[in-house]
Each structure stands twice: as structure tokens, then as C-alpha cells.
């Protein structure tokens, strides 16, 4: 009976040691994986062939954590789709709020091919051989053929706090254009023109939409709105210039958005 008891005790000790070692390894892994807290981003763009577009991805670094993030040690970055090419990138460190430092990844992207390409994770490669991969939201890119029926003219609003539009369009043709809807490549934003609004031939039109419908809420958006219209019997899409939603928020607002997305609440004083 004593041998059985000692054998059982030894087994418990061995299992406890194994569990302790596994916990240490898991803790170390988790510390590495959460060195950055990423925002929930949405980028949707239709680009001309070989055209590029910048994409801001915001994250937070807690300087007090053991797994502190050092910008200088990053050697490369990639998205989880080889057809979405990162032509260039920069990483900037910003202000610190509530102990969290704001980090801005600026990726210059292009897309290869004419299919709709998607990516959801960003991988960071470090000089010590380590690779960390983070969920960043969704990137949706495709290539399109240019239409010349419409043109954006005058000064147009590029950055907005929430999904909306304020742009000036000019009909370059000698027949009227009927506006049908607004959408994007990833079909997250939408708006329907219910009153059969038209742009007369060779006329300008000031398009103002106070609120676009969003299928899913993100912290930050970068996209090229798609305007669907009819000219005669033909239905077409016009790709507008890129717009930004939330990107120019105050840094303190960005920090709280990212913390909220990661389930962290900061008590206001």
C-alpha cells in the first residue's frame, strides 16, 4: 500500500512539474503574442493596374510589459495573401496614453491580378528570427478598368469621423447619369438613391451623404467608394478617390478604440 501511495505521489509531482513547465512556456508565448494590441481595421479598394494605396494600421504597445515592442528590430512585414503586395512600409511610434504607446504601421499596398483578394492578418518578422502574427481586421483589394463618364472636381472631403461622403462630381458625357447606389469592393458600406437622382449632361453635382450604412463596425476604415449609376441602358460603376473614416481621430480617441476592441476598459478620472 505504501509503494502504491509513493508511486501515486511521484506521479502527481511529475504531472505538477510538467504543468508548471507548460504554464511557463504558455505564459512566455502569450507575452510575446500580446506585445501589441491591434485595432480592428477595414480597407477596401479598387485600384488601377500597378496603382498603390497607403493603409494605416494602428496598434498599442505597453512599454511596461516584459515583451516590449521595439520598432528597430522589425525586419519585414507581410499580409496573409501573396497577391496583396506590400510595396513599402514604415512604422512610427506616437504618443503614450494611460501607459499605452500608439504605434502606426503605414503599408503601401498594391494588388496582383483582377480577382478580389482578401487578407486578415499581419505578420511581423524580427531580426532574432521571431515571427509574430496579428489579426488586423480585413483588407479587400481588386483591380478595375477606368471609366471616364464621371470625374471628381473641386476640393473634396477625404477624412471623416464616421462613414459619410461629401464630394463634387462632374458628368463628362452628353447624356444624363442616374445615380443608383454607393458600395465598396468588400460590400461593407452601402447607400441606395431612392429618389432617382440624376446628373445632367456636362453638369456638376454636389453629392452629400450624412451617413452610410455599414454591415460591420470597424475602428478605422480606408476605402474607395463605388458609385453605381446608369447611363442609357447600361449600368456601370465609378471608383471614387480614397476616403478615411476615423483615421484622423485624436490620438486619445484612437487609444480608447483599440483598448475597447481588445476588451480593456480605462476608467476616466
Amino acid at each position: 500500500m505504501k509503494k502504491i501511495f509513493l508511486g501515486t505521489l511521484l506521479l502527481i509531482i511529475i504531472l505538477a512539474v510538467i504543468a508548471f513547465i507548460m504554464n511557463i512556456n504558455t505564459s512566455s508565448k502569450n507575452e510575446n503574442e500580446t506585445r501589441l494590441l491591434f485595432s480592428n481595421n477595414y480597407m477596401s479598394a479598387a485600384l488601377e493596374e500597378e496603382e498603390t494605396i497607403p493603409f494605416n494600421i494602428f496598434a498599442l504597445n505597453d512599454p511596461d510589459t516584459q515583451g516590449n515592442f521595439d520598432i528597430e528590430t522589425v525586419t519585414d512585414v507581410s499580409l496573409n495573401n501573396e497577391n496583396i503586395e506590400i510595396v513599402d512600409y514604415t512604422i512610427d511610434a506616437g504618443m503614450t496614453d494611460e501607459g499605452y504607446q500608439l504605434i502606426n504601421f503605414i503599408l503601401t499596398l498594391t494588388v496582383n491580378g483582377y480577382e478580389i483578394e482578401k487578407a486578415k492578418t499581419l505578420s511581423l518578422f524580427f531580426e532574432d528570427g521571431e515571427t509574430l502574427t496579428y489579426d488586423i481586421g480585413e483588407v479587400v483589394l481588386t483591380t478595375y478598368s477606368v471609366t471616364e463618364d464621371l470625374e471628381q472636381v473641386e476640393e473634396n472631403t477625404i477624412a471623416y469621423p464616421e462613414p459619410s461622403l461629401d464630394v463634387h462630381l462632374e458628368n463628362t458625357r452628353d447624356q444624363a447619369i442616374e445615380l443608383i447606389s454607393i458600395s465598396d469592393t468588400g460590400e461593407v458600406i452601402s447607400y441606395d438613391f431612392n429618389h432617382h437622382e440624376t446628373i445632367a449632361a456636362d453638369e456638376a453635382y454636389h453629392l452629400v451623404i450624412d451617413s452610410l450604412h455599414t454591415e460591420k463596425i470597424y475602428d478605422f476604415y480606408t476605402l474607395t467608394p463605388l458609385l453605381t449609376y446608369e447611363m442609357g441602358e447600361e449600368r456601370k460603376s465609378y471608383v471614387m478617390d480614397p476616403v478615411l473614416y476615423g483615421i484622423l481621430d485624436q490620438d486619445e480617441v484612437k487609444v480608447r478604440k483599440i483598448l475597447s476592441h481588445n476588451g480593456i476598459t480605462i476608467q476616466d478620472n
Side-chain angles (χ1 to χ4, degrees):
M1 178 66 71
K2 187 174 181 180
K3 289 182 178 179
I4 295 175
F5 174 77
L6 290 174
T8 302
L9 181 61
L10 180 61
L11 178 61
I12 292 173
I13 292 173
I14 292 173
L15 291 175
V17 171
I18 293 173
F20 177 73
I21 294 174
M22 290 180 64
N23 184 60
I24 291 176
N25 291 336
T26 302
S27 298
S28 176
K29 182 179 179 181
N30 288 340
E31 284 175 0
N32 286 336
E33 289 183 345
T34 57
R35 285 195 291 186
L36 289 173
L37 302 174
F38 270 82
S39 52
N40 191 22
N41 306 272
Y42 180 65
M43 180 183 203
S44 170
L47 305 175
E48 295 182 47
E49 192 171 351
E50 298 185 356
E51 182 184 4
T52 62
I53 187 170
F55 180 31
N56 292 74
I57 306 175
F58 296 106
L60 295 179
N61 173 35
D62 184 350
D64 297 327
T65 59
Q66 182 176 349
N68 187 33
F69 173 71
D70 183 359
I71 291 175
E72 300 300 325
T73 63
V74 178
T75 59
D76 201 5
V77 299
S78 71
L79 297 169
N80 64 318
N81 185 329
E82 61 184 11
N83 290 322
I84 299 178
E85 181 183 350
I86 300 177
V87 178
D88 193 14
Y89 73 92
T90 58
I91 309 174
D92 295 327
M95 54 85 72
T96 299
D97 185 34
E98 300 291 347
Y100 295 92
Q101 186 177 34
L102 187 64
I103 307 294
N104 185 11
F105 294 80
I106 307 173
L107 311 182
T108 302
L109 304 180
T110 191
V111 60
N112 300 317
Y114 287 85
E115 301 296 324
I116 294 178
E117 303 290 348
K118 298 182 179 181
K120 293 188 175 182
T121 63
L122 176 69
S123 293
L124 308 180
F125 301 89
F126 296 85
E127 59 187 15
D128 63 359
E130 184 180 25
T131 301
L132 298 178
T133 300
Y134 299 93
D135 293 329
I136 58 169
E138 186 167 23
V139 179
V140 185
L141 297 181
T142 193
T143 305
Y144 77 101
S145 299
V146 178
T147 58
E148 298 180 348
D149 302 329
L150 288 165
E151 182 181 352
Q152 282 186 238
V153 294
E154 301 184 26
E155 293 185 1
N156 297 289
T157 304
I158 297 174
Y160 307 76
E162 300 292 341
S164 52
L165 276 177
D166 185 346
V167 297
H168 294 83
L169 300 171
E170 182 177 334
N171 180 354
T172 63
R173 301 304 187 187
D174 59 1
Q175 57 180 314
I177 288 176
E178 181 179 350
L179 305 183
I180 305 298
S181 63
I182 300 285
S183 61
D184 72 282
T185 303
E187 299 182 341
V188 165
I189 67 164
S190 62
Y191 180 85
D192 293 324
F193 295 93
N194 297 320
H195 302 293
H196 303 288
E197 298 183 46
T198 61
I199 307 177
D202 299 315
E203 292 292 330
Y205 181 85
H206 186 192
L207 174 61
V208 178
I209 302 175
D210 293 330
S211 180
L212 295 166
H213 175 71
T214 52
E215 289 295 324
K216 185 176 179 181
I217 303 300
Y218 291 88
D219 297 327
F220 309 103
Y221 305 73
T222 300
L223 55 88
T224 55
L226 304 180
L227 171 61
T228 300
Y229 62 95
E230 287 185 355
M231 176 178 286
E233 299 297 322
E234 190 174 4
R235 180 166 291 198
K236 301 180 179 181
S237 291
Y238 171 69
V239 179
M240 296 186 185
D241 294 339
V243 293
L244 311 174
Y245 300 134
I247 302 292
L248 297 187
D249 284 347
Q250 292 185 350
D251 287 347
E252 292 82 359
V253 175
K254 292 189 183 85
V255 169
R256 277 155 179 75
K257 279 186 177 181
I258 301 169
L259 291 176
S260 176
H261 172 63
N262 287 274
I264 301 172
T265 302
I266 297 295
Q267 298 294 332
D268 293 328
N269 295 328

